[in-house]
Amino acid sequence: MVNCLCLNPFISVSSTVACTSHTVRSRQHLAPQKSVDLALGYRNPLGYGFGFGLRGSLHEMVSSRFKGVAVMTDDKSTISSTEEYLENIGIFSIDPSLKPYKDHFKYRLKRYVDQKKLIEEYEGGLEEFAKGYLKFGFNREEGGIVYREWAPAAQEAQIIGDFNGWDGSNHQMEKNQFGVWSIKIPDADGNPAIPHSSRVKFRFRHGDGVWVDRIPAWIKYATVDPNRFAAPYDGVYWDPPLSERYEFKYPRPPKPKAPRIYEAHVGMSSSEPRINSYREFADEILPRIRANNYNTVQLMAVMEHSYYASFGYHVTNFFAVSSRSGTPEDLKYLIDKAHSLGLQVLMDVIHSHASNNITDGLNGFDVGQTSQDSYFHTGDRGYHKLWDSRLFNYANWEVLRFLLSNLRWWLEEFKFDGFRFDGVTSMLYHHHGINIAFTGDYNEYFSEATDVDAVVYLMLANSLIHSILPDATVIAEDVSGMPGIGQQVSDGGIGFDYRLAMAIPDKWIDYLKNKNECTWSMKEISWSLTNRRYTEKCVSYAESHDQAIVGDKTVAFLLMDEEMYSGMSCLVDPSPIVERGIALQKMIHFITMALGGEGYLNFMGNEFGHPEWIDFPREGNGWSYEKCRRQWNLVDTNHLRYKFMNAFDRAMNLLDDKFSFLASSKQIVSSADDEDKVIVFERGDLIFVFNFHPENTYEGYKVGCDLPGKYRVALDSDAGEFGGHGRVGHDVDHFTSPEGIPGVPETNFNNRPNSFKVLSPARTCVVYYRVEESQEEGSNNSLVGREDTSAAVDVAKIPDKSASIKSEDNSNLDGVKHTLT
């Protein structure tokens, strides 16, 4: 654990930051920004449009004549004058405290504009540039198959495989001046010379005279012999006949107002100790996700990775679907099934690093050549010492083509609806976040430690994604909280739609492991949940896969531990540990959702308090799958208490589905009382009351609100269907009383112009909605706490507020407002 303190009111960094397998953080004082000269080394290896490699001299020529040229920074804005634009970057009007770093922003934005202009001039535009998979790898062209591979370090090259008995002597490839090897293999008797689903590899001789076999970099499928221990992967030529190709039947669903994300790993989604398939996940797990009212699925470990226990983060084949769970057509079936259920599908994309595996992965193309002729940097800059993986050279023309084409491939071929970019912190800084505890000091973000090459790549990536799919959702896994990461590229930002609020789960782990419940600070909890940059959206989560991996525990397991094995039966009274655990599991997840961001994420199984941890098959556990699965039987067994946590999770999501509070900019913490252990806040038109006190129940507890009128219970964690005691009356009308002088906040109650009184039992959270006059008649029944657990919120009796979200009319409300008393 590393402590960090937020020093800047604009920045989203919270108090405790933990190390995970693919996000590393630490502490260091950084030097101020200095000018950095970078060798670009651009090339067009196919030679389309011009007959020479694009190098530094040409870049300088383009840059020198670039002033005043109209360029597109994204699809929504055209900049008429580059110089004028660079002097009036929009992000400074959003956050004036960034102005001292204007030179940094001008430098990186000009780098982006110049790079995009070069791509437009020599490749026909960013979208055309990102169609590399139509030229590289294997593609059908008239009368045969054409295979191309960028391997400038190779001296000779062949294509080998099942089709030629692994003898490439008759299939020698030719190299052009840009380091691209190619060969056209004519059809035989009208049929492709390389049969569909047959194995292939790229064989080349490098400078030492050694011949090596590698999986083609752009391969679209790769498999391994399951009967051979530690067998190498083989590339597979994937071109199924029309009768075997999956055809999408359903359109993409509309983009939700706020994503409620279900993070899932297909392979470990089975209840049995084995690897699950894409089709089984589609048919058996997707309906569960939809039933719990999530609107988005985030799939982990889609890109091929030879080491299963890497959780999918050590990618070997970037264009290939992980073959453990099926074929490319099977994955298409899964995504189409999700779309039919109204679920968007995001992909966990790993462009921050690549597997160090030489035999199976992209690293096998590195044979000691210069960085200009490789996908990766050379020396220390090309190696992540904590991840044991290779780091991309984002300034290389061919690396840009490869990675940008990779994004387009997944969007267009498989109909993904967006991405979660993994390891963004590592990309943004030359130190990769290692031994850095980000404090909120802007010098930490904008200095010579910033990897501008990577920043420019991410700007290009977000511009491309939103150009191809305007409704795409793109999320950054960034723990540093770099200002502007969630701002539009046209305003000088990096262009992500959301950033993961990674400090929140670390805060909960700190509280659960290190603090007595009686010492929990309501002010610190509310601050940790709301401490984020105004106008830059976050996805909050109480726990993800990081908190479930071996060596750690889920929230439920931290709360109940061994009692989860023996004390979850509804046939006996719950022990104090189980009762406390279920109550806090519900409260922690719900307050994280309601107050922590503009989106919400839950990892597969945590919605019902899945016990234990995740441990992939490895030598240390005897290659067991026992802890690499999800025990759905626990939530499906009616006499076990797991069903209560699942029912509340479903109700949380349904509440947002009805009221769209996550999408509301109105978020006001009116009270965070450390003595009472109560947090009261407004989100949208809802009033939330969280009582974290382990013992005290408050009758007639006064809560502030904005609008006058009559309020009723919308959701109650103490309802019987959620494993509670049913102490809060759902038929009770709560009438407001005016507080102080209208329009004078200091005379109001907790700065709110109205108030009403509620019953607030210990360890409960209750949500209240305002009853409209049109809903008065026939609405005297309880809205929650019904025996029918499929109706956790009575949607028929609650007016739909999603189309008319009110915003707080307060001129001094700069983002999230805290009124702590």
Side-chain angles (χ1 to χ4, degrees):
M1 288 289 187
V2 185
N3 292 326
C4 55
L5 173 68
C6 178
L7 301 180
N8 193 298
F10 288 96
I11 199 66
S12 171
V13 189
S14 195
S15 53
T16 328
V17 184
C19 293
T20 72
S21 60
H22 53 276
T23 303
V24 184
R25 314 127 200 199
S26 48
R27 183 183 299 275
Q28 177 178 315
H29 178 72
L30 303 182
Q33 169 71 19
K34 296 180 180 178
S35 177
V36 182
D37 294 324
L38 298 170
L40 300 178
Y42 296 132
R43 295 183 176 187
N44 181 343
L46 296 179
Y48 299 138
F50 60 97
F52 50 92
L54 204 60
R55 297 188 181 273
S57 59
L58 177 60
H59 172 74
E60 293 167 5
M61 177 186 70
V62 173
S63 298
S64 66
R65 72 183 186 186
F66 192 73
K67 296 179 180 180
V69 177
V71 295
M72 292 293 292
T73 59
D74 58 31
D75 286 343
K76 296 181 180 178
S77 63
T78 303
I79 309 305
S80 59
S81 170
T82 305
E83 286 188 329
E84 180 183 352
Y85 172 53
L86 294 176
E87 290 297 325
N88 298 280
I89 303 173
I91 198 169
F92 299 136
S93 62
I94 299 169
D95 182 358
S97 61
L98 289 172
K99 288 182 178 179
Y101 306 93
K102 186 175 183 179
D103 286 345
H104 175 93
F105 279 91
K106 286 175 63 177
Y107 172 70
R108 79 182 196 188
L109 192 54
K110 188 176 187 303
R111 283 279 309 280
Y112 163 79
V113 170
D114 285 357
Q115 180 72 78
K116 197 154 186 271
K117 179 63 177 177
L118 286 169
I119 292 172
E120 289 167 356
E121 186 169 353
Y122 295 106
E123 298 281 359
L126 192 59
E127 290 188 41
E128 203 61 33
F129 185 53
K131 292 180 180 179
Y133 51 83
L134 297 179
K135 291 295 179 182
F136 286 89
F138 295 90
N139 287 283
R140 289 287 299 166
E141 295 187 12
E142 186 177 356
I145 297 171
V146 176
Y147 169 56
R148 295 185 182 93
E149 195 74 71
W150 180 64
Q155 304 302 307
E156 293 183 67
Q158 305 170 351
I159 178 66
I160 59 174
D162 292 328
F163 77 100
N164 63 7
W166 300 92
D167 180 359
S169 58
N170 293 325
H171 292 92
Q172 297 281 350
M173 301 178 70
E174 295 183 355
K175 182 181 182 181
N176 71 9
Q177 68 268 42
F178 307 114
V180 175
W181 295 87
S182 63
I183 185 173
K184 183 172 183 178
I185 307 172
D187 292 343
D189 299 324
N191 297 313
I194 305 177
H196 163 63
S197 197
S198 63
R199 297 175 298 166
V200 291
K201 280 194 172 180
F202 176 61
R203 174 173 289 173
F204 69 93
R205 180 178 64 85
H206 56 75
D208 292 338
V210 178
W211 286 86
V212 294
D213 297 348
R214 298 292 183 250
I215 295 177
W218 297 71
I219 200 71
K220 299 178 176 69
Y221 195 45
T223 60
V224 66
D225 184 348
N227 299 315
R228 290 176 56 198
F229 180 75
Y233 273 68
D234 291 303
V236 173
Y237 175 67
W238 193 258
D239 186 24
L242 290 175
S243 60
E244 297 178 18
R245 294 181 185 178
Y246 187 82
E247 297 293 334
F248 286 91
K249 303 177 180 64
Y250 301 95
R252 286 185 167 100
K255 183 176 182 177
K257 296 174 183 176
R260 300 189 299 272
I261 302 169
Y262 194 89
E263 184 186 37
H265 186 288
V266 172
M268 58 166 288
S269 64
S270 174
S271 60
E272 301 172 8
R274 61 176 177 84
I275 296 175
N276 211 16
S277 73
Y278 297 121
R279 287 183 177 268
E280 288 171 312
F281 182 91
D283 294 337
E284 299 168 9
I285 309 304
L286 285 178
R288 290 180 180 272
I289 299 170
R290 179 66 271 181
N292 269 45
N293 299 306
Y294 289 91
N295 56 32
T296 305
V297 181
Q298 180 181 299
L299 293 182
M300 304 173 62
V302 172
M303 306 162 84
E304 186 61 86
H305 49 292
S306 60
Y307 184 44
Y308 190 43
S310 73
F311 232 141
Y313 290 110
H314 280 231
V315 174
T316 45
N317 311 110
F318 285 76
F319 287 82
V321 166
S322 178
S323 59
R324 290 181 183 86
S325 294
T327 69
E329 311 313 304
D330 295 332
L331 178 60
K332 292 175 184 178
Y333 172 81
L334 185 162
I335 295 171
D336 204 27
K337 182 68 173 286
H339 288 167
S340 75
L341 296 172
L343 294 166
Q344 283 204 321
V345 187
L346 307 183
M347 180 178 138
D348 220 350
V349 69
I350 295 84
H351 283 182
S352 50
H353 63 133
S355 171
N356 203 25
N357 184 320
I358 293 174
T359 304
D360 303 324
L362 202 61
N363 193 31
F365 286 81
D366 191 337
V367 290
Q369 68 268 40
T370 66
S371 183
Q372 188 179 24
D373 291 335
S374 173
Y375 288 99
F376 309 109
H377 285 292
T378 58
D380 291 342
R381 192 178 178 190
Y383 179 72
H384 198 296
K385 62 183 180 180
L386 293 188
W387 297 349
D388 187 28
S389 57
R390 297 304 308 274
L391 300 175
F392 287 106
N393 176 8
Y394 299 106
N396 187 296
W397 189 272
E398 285 313 304
V399 172
L400 290 177
R401 187 197 305 276
F402 184 83
L403 295 178
L404 292 171
S405 297
N406 190 238
L407 297 173
R408 182 161 195 161
W409 168 253
W410 294 110
L411 286 175
E412 298 208 330
E413 181 70 16
F414 292 91
K415 307 299 182 187
F416 277 98
D417 301 295
F419 301 99
R420 168 201 177 268
F421 274 71
D422 179 73
V424 170
T425 305
S426 176
M427 299 174 69
L428 294 176
Y429 310 98
H430 292 299
H431 53 61
H432 310 300
I434 300 173
N435 298 322
I436 304 295
F438 294 94
T439 66
D441 184 341
Y442 280 7
N443 289 306
E444 296 169 349
Y445 307 108
F446 312 114
S447 75
E448 61 186 3
T450 308
D451 190 338
V452 178
D453 292 345
V455 171
V456 170
Y457 163 66
L458 291 171
M459 294 167 74
L460 290 168
N462 280 305
S463 179
L464 172 73
I465 293 166
H466 291 102
S467 175
I468 295 171
L469 185 62
D471 282 344
T473 298
V474 191
I475 303 169
E477 191 222 25
D478 169 43
V479 71
S480 75
M482 175 181 274
I485 197 169
Q487 292 291 346
Q488 293 184 11
V489 172
S490 57
D491 287 329
I494 297 179
F496 286 98
D497 299 298
Y498 297 89
R499 183 181 69 83
L500 283 179
M502 299 180 68
I504 293 175
D506 295 331
K507 174 58 65 178
W508 287 123
I509 288 174
D510 177 46
Y511 265 49
L512 293 172
K513 286 185 175 180
N514 304 317
K515 295 182 185 295
N516 185 289
E517 191 179 349
C518 295
T519 67
W520 287 15
S521 168
M522 301 300 102
K523 289 181 173 64
E524 187 177 51
I525 289 173
S526 62
W527 171 252
S528 297
L529 291 171
T530 58
N531 182 24
R532 57 187 183 272
R533 290 180 61 79
Y534 181 45
T535 76
E536 296 192 40
K537 297 178 180 179
C538 286
V539 172
S540 67
Y541 60 105
E543 51 186 338
S544 69
H545 65 273
D546 283 338
Q547 286 69 43
I549 58 177
V550 64
D552 213 332
K553 296 180 179 180
T554 63
V555 168
F557 209 44
L558 282 170
L559 287 165
M560 294 176 274
D561 212 293
E562 62 184 14
E563 290 270 345
M564 299 194 79
Y565 297 107
S566 59
M568 299 299 283
S569 173
C570 297
L571 304 179
V572 296
D573 291 336
S575 69
I577 291 176
V578 169
E579 189 162 35
R580 170 184 179 268
I582 292 177
L584 288 178
Q585 161 85 3
K586 292 181 291 185
M587 295 181 71
I588 287 170
H589 284 79
F590 191 31
I591 197 170
T592 299
M593 177 194 196
L595 200 55
E598 291 72 35
Y600 176 69
L601 179 144
N602 169 74
F603 177 66
M604 178 174 64
N606 290 342
E607 69 274 13
F608 64 85
H610 198 289
E612 301 183 321
W613 54 88
I614 298 168
D615 192 6
F616 282 84
R618 55 188 174 86
E619 187 176 3
N621 64 13
W623 304 103
S624 171
Y625 287 85
E626 183 61 32
K627 296 278 192 301
C628 193
R629 62 190 180 110
R630 297 286 85 177
Q631 300 182 54
W632 303 109
N633 58 297
L634 296 176
V635 70
D636 293 341
T637 302
N638 195 49
H639 69 265
L640 295 181
R641 299 184 189 278
Y642 295 98
K643 67 178 182 180
F644 297 136
M645 292 177 280
N646 189 68
F648 189 72
D649 180 81
R650 182 189 306 128
M652 285 164 40
N653 287 321
L654 186 58
L655 188 72
D656 180 61
D657 208 34
K658 195 64 184 176
F659 284 92
S660 295
F661 61 86
L662 280 174
S664 175
S665 61
K666 179 182 178 180
Q667 176 174 304
I668 301 170
V669 177
S670 61
S671 178
D673 195 310
D674 282 336
E675 183 176 348
D676 292 345
K677 302 297 181 190
V678 175
I679 300 174
V680 180
F681 62 91
E682 297 165 54
R683 190 74 190 267
D685 289 333
L686 298 176
I687 314 297
F688 296 76
V689 182
F690 282 78
N691 182 355
F692 280 95
H693 202 288
E695 298 176 352
N696 290 356
T697 292
Y698 304 108
E699 294 188 26
Y701 196 81
K702 192 174 181 180
V703 300
C705 64
D706 179 19
L707 302 175
K710 180 169 67 176
Y711 288 79
R712 289 182 185 156
V713 173
L715 182 60
D716 171 22
S717 70
D718 195 45
E721 70 187 80
F722 307 136
H725 297 283
R727 289 166 287 187
V728 176
H730 300 154
D731 295 332
V732 178
D733 292 333
H734 302 269
F735 293 94
T736 61
S737 300
E739 294 288 344
I741 303 171
V744 186
E746 58 269 24
T747 67
N748 300 156
F749 175 73
N750 289 338
N751 284 352
R752 308 313 291 143
N754 294 282
S755 70
F756 60 92
K757 295 182 178 181
V758 301
L759 172 66
S760 180
R763 292 195 185 119
T764 65
C765 48
V766 183
V767 185
Y768 298 87
Y769 78 99
R770 183 170 173 268
V771 180
E772 304 286 352
E773 292 183 5
S774 60
Q775 296 290 321
E776 291 283 353
E777 295 184 7
S779 60
N780 58 347
N781 294 323
S782 172
L783 301 180
V784 294
R786 298 169 181 268
E787 292 301 319
D788 179 8
T789 58
S790 66
V793 181
D794 190 342
V795 296
K797 296 183 180 298
I798 302 179
D800 191 342
K801 301 292 186 66
S802 61
S804 57
I805 301 170
K806 297 182 175 64
S807 295
E808 178 73 358
D809 182 15
N810 193 327
S811 59
N812 63 5
L813 183 59
D814 292 325
V816 178
K817 178 178 179 181
H818 300 272
T819 310
L820 307 179
T821 60

